[in-house]
């Protein structure tokens, strides 16, 4: 089983390949259909953010194991060298949008996944790390 | 080097067992809840405990762990309260230290008592460890059982299904219920589902939030939700908490809900007299 | 890639069978509106049975296309949204409140017929 992959997001097709890779990996790990849809959707949101706001970035997918109880899960890291996010607090509010979308992107991802962490330096880029654990 | 105190305990095993047994006479071993436990059952339990503890002197650590595990298992499945066993070990401490001080010199006593305390701590820790391990296993099993008991979707008429929810709804269970609900709708081709909350003890904002989410998802897959079984006290809490269920069709009973559901799917229930007076079958 | 739009009397039928990328979704929006204009259609059924993921962007495109079609006088019913997709949308806080739904193509057509009076 290929349990790690890294997809470059340089154009719209990157979004599609990232979510296909995510669906494949989450299926292999053993996620049910609802969680597969959650994970794929979260990856799509993260990949779209990279595509919309930065020139280039990547989505890393890894299968992981939880320290304390050995549960399996999938880790999704979205990394870019874009402008960074200045108003971190604003982007986590439902309905806040700078792109004309539904504004459900980042807060949506947070609700779809179990763990969510965002690091951003204006001018240097953004790294978003999320994990979903098997139930 | 064989421990002095363990050798001493082994050599005087019958004496200690006798004394410990006597000191335990005052102890009331109880079962969790108020399940009755007779004097005989208690004595049996005490004797078994005593023999497990004294066996541990002679068994290897591996064998001992197994024995303690088996004992803890019986303890939990029969519902004995755990704290009493810890207290019994403390009673053993008093018995042993009392005798030891008479049998050893003052110089020896310090070493021997330290050794004994270490051994006793080890026994307590082991018992506690095994006990909590088994309790965790039981808890996991119960959780699985809860999940299996989770709300089924029952087709009652063509296009109409009912989902009775019994018990408290937490986030995990809500997710499970939602999946059952949506997959059942597709399977039975239901157009209307009645969610019956007669068996839900408390409806707070959290529970209401889960129900609202479920009904929105139901609408997305192409069916409609009716909320039934709203008891007076539930209606009161819903309004007092300011929960907005306006988007919902709600009915007090399942019966009224089914009537409404039939209406939504363009059908009614008629008695045979009504049918005759209407001039035969009506579609 | 283009999504085929079928005409059935006064209705249009669309069954989405491909993975929806952004470009395909936007192209579909344009094609559907043109077709409604061209045929003077009164109702549209969009079947999403084969769609296994809708993210916020696709949801926005779908919501928009429904609103735009309504403006042009065509009622839209979405059918066959999968349970996993529905749950994910609700988790994201997207409830597509203005949109009509039905279980499958057949019930979708029935629904249109009811609304448009036979």
């Amino acid at each position: 089983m290929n349990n790690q992959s890294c997809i470059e997001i340089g154009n719209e097709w990157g979004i599609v390949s990232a979510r296909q890779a995510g669906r494949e990996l989450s299926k292999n790990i053993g996620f049910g259909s609802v969680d597969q849809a959650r994970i794929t959707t979260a990856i799509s949101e993260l990949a779209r953010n990279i595509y919309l706001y930065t020139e280039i970035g990547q989505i890393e997918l890894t299968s992981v194991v939880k320290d304390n109880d050995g549960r399996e899960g999938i880790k999704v890291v979205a990394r870019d060298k874009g402008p960074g996010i200045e108003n971190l607090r604003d982007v986590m509010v439902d309905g806040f949008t700078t792109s004309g979308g539904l504004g459900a992107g980042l807060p949506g991802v947070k609700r779809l996944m179990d763990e969510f962490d965002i690091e951003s330096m204006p001018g240097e880029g953004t790294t978003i790390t999320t994990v979903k654990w098997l139930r | 080097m064989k421990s002095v105190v363990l050798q001493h305990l082994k050599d005087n095993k019958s004496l200690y067992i006798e004394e410990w047994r006597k000191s335990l006479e005052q102890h009331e071993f109880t079962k969790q809840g108020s399940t009755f436990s007779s004097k005989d059952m208690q004595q049996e339990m005490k004797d078994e405990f005593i023999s497990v503890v004294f066996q541990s002197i002679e068994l290897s650590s591996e064998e001992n762990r197994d024995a303690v595990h088996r004992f803890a298992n019986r303890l939990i499945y029969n519902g004995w309260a755990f704290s009493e066993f810890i207290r019994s070990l403390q009673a053993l401490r008093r018995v042993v230290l009392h005798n030891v001080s008479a049998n050893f010199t003052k110089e020896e006593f310090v070493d021997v008592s330290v050794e004994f305390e270490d051994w006793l701590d080890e026994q307590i820790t082991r018992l506690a460890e095994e006990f909590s391990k088994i309790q965790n296993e039981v808890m996991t099993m119960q959780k699985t059982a809860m999940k299996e008991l989770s709300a089924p979707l029952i087709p009652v008429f063509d296009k109409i299904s009912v989902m009775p929810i019994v018990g408290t709804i937490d986030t995990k269970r809500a997710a499970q219920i939602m999946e059952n609900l949506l997959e059942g709708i597709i399977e039975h081709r239901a157009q209307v589902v009645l969610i019956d909350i007669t068996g839900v003890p408390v409806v707070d904002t959290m529970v209401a939030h889960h129900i609202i989410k479920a009904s929105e998802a139901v609408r997305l897959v192409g069916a409609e939700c009716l909320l039934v079984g709203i008891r007076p006290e539930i209606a009161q809490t819903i309004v007092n908490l300011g929960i907005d269920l306006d988007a919902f069709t709600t009915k007090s009973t399942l019966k009224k809900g089914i009537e409404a559901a039939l209406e939504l799917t363009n059908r009614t229930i008629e008695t045979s007299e009504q049918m005759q007076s209407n001039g035969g079958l009506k579609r | 890639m283009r999504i085929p739009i079928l005409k059935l009397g006064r209705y249009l039928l669309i069954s989405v069978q491909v993975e929806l990328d952004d470009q395909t979704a936007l192209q579909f929006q344009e094609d559907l509106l043109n077709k409604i204009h061209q045929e003077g259609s009164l109702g549209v059924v969009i079947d999403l049975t084969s769609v296994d993921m809708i993210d916020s962007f696709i949801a926005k495109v779908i919501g928009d296309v429904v609103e735009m079609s309504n403006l042009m006088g065509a009622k839209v019913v979405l059918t066959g949204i999968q349970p996993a997709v529905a749950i994910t949308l609700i988790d994201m806080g997207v409830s597509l409140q203005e949109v009509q739904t039905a279980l499958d193509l057949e019930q979708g057509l029935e629904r249109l017929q009811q609304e448009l009076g036979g």
Side-chain angles (χ1 to χ4, degrees):
Chain A
M1 186 174 104
N2 181 15
N3 58 7
Q4 183 160 23
S5 54
C6 177
I7 299 103
E8 294 285 325
I9 312 292
N11 54 41
E12 267 182 48
W13 286 106
I15 304 176
V16 177
S17 7
R19 67 194 187 209
Q20 278 168 354
R23 180 169 289 273
E24 182 116 333
L25 182 59
S26 53
K27 204 186 214 163
N28 285 341
I29 293 173
F31 282 102
S33 63
V34 177
D35 280 339
Q36 281 179 37
R38 287 193 174 109
I39 294 162
T40 326
T41 308
I43 293 172
S44 191
E45 299 292 344
L46 293 172
R48 175 163 292 101
N49 275 348
I50 293 178
Y51 166 70
L52 283 178
Y53 299 114
T54 70
E55 293 285 301
I56 192 146
Q58 63 205 31
I59 299 274
E60 280 170 32
L61 306 169
T62 329
S63 73
V64 286
V65 176
K66 203 172 192 172
D67 286 338
N68 54 5
D69 59 4
R71 262 199 296 172
E72 281 190 90
I74 184 170
K75 182 159 94 171
V76 180
V77 181
R79 211 188 299 278
D80 69 59
K81 298 244 175 295
I85 302 170
E86 269 179 53
N87 38 359
L88 267 184
R89 197 169 297 174
D90 289 346
V91 297
M92 294 310 296
V93 173
D94 273 310
F96 179 86
T97 174
T98 54
S99 66
L102 288 170
L106 286 185
V109 170
K110 193 172 175 184
R111 279 196 294 266
L112 293 172
M113 305 292 280
D114 294 330
E115 285 171 28
F116 182 95
D117 186 51
I118 180 165
E119 266 176 70
S120 190
M121 289 286 277
E124 285 182 27
T126 306
T127 303
I128 298 174
T129 308
T130 67
V131 184
K132 182 99 189 157
W133 299 108
L134 274 181
R135 267 186 280 171
Chain B
M1 190 191 84
K2 188 81 182 167
S3 149
V4 177
V5 74
L6 290 187
Q7 193 58 46
H8 172 74
L9 283 177
K10 213 168 133 187
D11 293 345
N12 302 283
K13 192 169 157 186
S14 47
L15 168 83
Y16 279 118
I17 288 183
E18 198 44 48
E19 291 221 359
W20 191 18
R21 252 189 107 179
K22 217 181 287 164
S23 79
L24 287 184
E25 267 165 25
Q26 311 304 322
H27 284 246
E28 184 89 6
F29 277 45
T30 52
K31 286 192 172 189
Q32 267 151 10
S34 53
T35 323
F36 173 75
S37 52
S38 70
K39 279 268 177 268
D40 285 351
M41 282 160 73
Q42 287 194 38
Q43 194 53 53
E44 198 184 311
M45 208 63 209
K46 286 175 190 173
D47 287 344
E48 195 183 337
F49 185 50
I50 290 170
S51 88
V52 166
V53 171
F54 274 89
Q55 260 175 32
S56 78
I57 300 172
E58 288 160 48
L59 294 175
S60 75
S61 134
E62 198 78 343
E63 287 167 329
N64 184 28
R65 191 163 287 275
D66 281 353
V68 174
H69 185 83
R70 275 197 303 277
F71 180 71
N73 230 326
R74 286 203 27 182
L75 247 169
I76 289 179
Y77 281 97
N78 295 320
W80 293 94
F82 178 58
S83 53
E84 213 47 55
F85 292 85
I86 298 288
R87 270 192 215 112
S88 318
L89 283 172
Q90 283 156 358
L92 175 65
R93 180 209 311 265
R94 281 189 293 277
V95 170
V96 171
L97 289 183
H98 179 76
N99 278 292
V100 161
S101 65
N103 281 302
F104 291 89
T105 64
K106 255 192 182 143
E107 290 76 39
E108 285 168 330
F109 179 73
V110 177
D111 285 347
V112 167
S113 63
V114 166
E115 234 172 59
F116 174 71
E117 295 284 353
D118 283 352
W119 176 80
L120 193 69
D121 281 348
E122 173 74 27
Q123 300 304 311
I124 294 178
T125 313
R126 189 160 289 184
L127 187 64
E129 264 175 17
E130 291 301 323
F131 191 87
S132 73
K133 203 163 42 182
I134 294 167
Q135 207 158 40
N136 274 334
E137 282 167 19
V138 171
M139 230 146 75
T140 319
M141 257 165 52
Q142 280 169 342
K143 267 190 201 154
T144 322
M146 263 290 266
K147 218 169 139 188
E148 282 167 356
L149 181 131
S150 211
L153 188 68
I154 308 157
V156 286
F157 289 106
D158 205 19
K159 299 179 184 169
I160 300 175
S161 293
V162 176
M163 179 173 265
I165 301 178
V166 177
T168 312
I169 303 175
D170 60 10
T171 308
K172 261 203 176 139
R173 186 149 185 251
Q176 188 69 35
I177 289 174
M178 174 117 99
E179 279 177 42
N180 284 0
L181 182 62
L182 298 191
E183 259 141 40
I185 288 173
I186 306 285
E187 189 186 332
H188 304 304
R189 291 176 49 85
Q191 269 179 22
V192 182
V193 264
L194 299 134
I195 299 183
D196 185 352
I197 59 166
T198 313
V200 179
V202 180
V203 177
D204 55 11
T205 39
M206 196 63 193
V207 172
H209 173 74
H210 288 309
I211 294 174
I212 292 169
K213 267 178 65 177
S215 83
E216 285 179 338
V218 165
R219 203 184 56 80
L220 282 179
V221 300
E224 202 171 329
C225 244
L226 299 182
L227 196 58
V228 304
I230 301 184
R231 289 170 283 132
E233 64 268 33
I234 299 286
Q236 279 173 323
T237 40
I238 288 175
V239 173
N240 288 339
L241 287 172
I243 298 167
D244 185 10
L245 288 181
D246 281 356
F248 261 102
T249 312
T250 53
K251 297 283 172 206
S252 56
T253 60
L254 183 58
K255 182 169 169 283
K256 288 196 177 127
I258 287 183
E259 282 166 10
L262 285 166
E263 214 167 289
L264 278 169
T265 49
N266 300 318
R267 288 171 294 178
T268 53
I269 292 180
E270 291 185 354
T271 61
S272 33
E273 286 94 44
Q274 280 173 320
M275 249 166 53
Q276 271 156 13
S277 68
N278 283 336
L281 280 167
K282 208 175 81 173
R283 286 207 58 117
Chain C
M1 212 180 317
R2 278 185 127 115
I3 297 169
I5 300 170
L6 308 176
K7 176 171 174 268
L8 183 80
R10 299 171 302 167
Y11 304 141
L12 296 178
L13 299 183
I14 300 98
S15 171
V16 181
Q17 301 281 355
V18 295
E19 163 114 35
L20 280 172
D21 63 89
D22 301 8
Q23 207 48 52
T24 312
L26 290 171
Q27 181 70 50
F28 165 66
Q29 186 176 78
E30 204 176 312
D31 288 352
L32 179 63
L33 295 177
N34 284 334
K35 194 84 170 175
I36 292 172
H37 180 69
Q38 196 184 317
E39 306 285 349
S41 311
L42 298 176
V44 178
V45 180
I46 305 177
D47 185 56
L48 299 168
T49 308
S50 317
V51 173
D52 55 15
M53 188 227 62
I54 295 179
D55 65 7
S56 65
F57 179 83
I58 308 278
K60 166 118 170 67
V61 174
I62 293 176
D64 286 353
V65 86
V66 170
E67 207 179 324
M68 293 166 186
S69 306
N70 281 338
L71 280 175
M72 295 179 64
K75 285 213 176 339
V76 182
V77 178
L78 298 183
T79 64
I81 296 182
Q82 293 297 308
V85 174
I87 293 173
T88 309
L89 283 173
I90 298 301
D91 278 352
M92 299 235 304
V94 178
S95 60
L96 292 172
Q97 231 136 39
E98 311 302 316
V99 181
Q100 305 252 31
T101 54
L103 273 183
D104 52 26
L105 207 58
E106 192 186 335
Q107 292 189 3
L109 280 171
E110 257 172 47
R111 177 134 198 193
L112 275 183
Q113 245 145 11
Q114 268 171 18
E115 298 228 343
L116 299 170

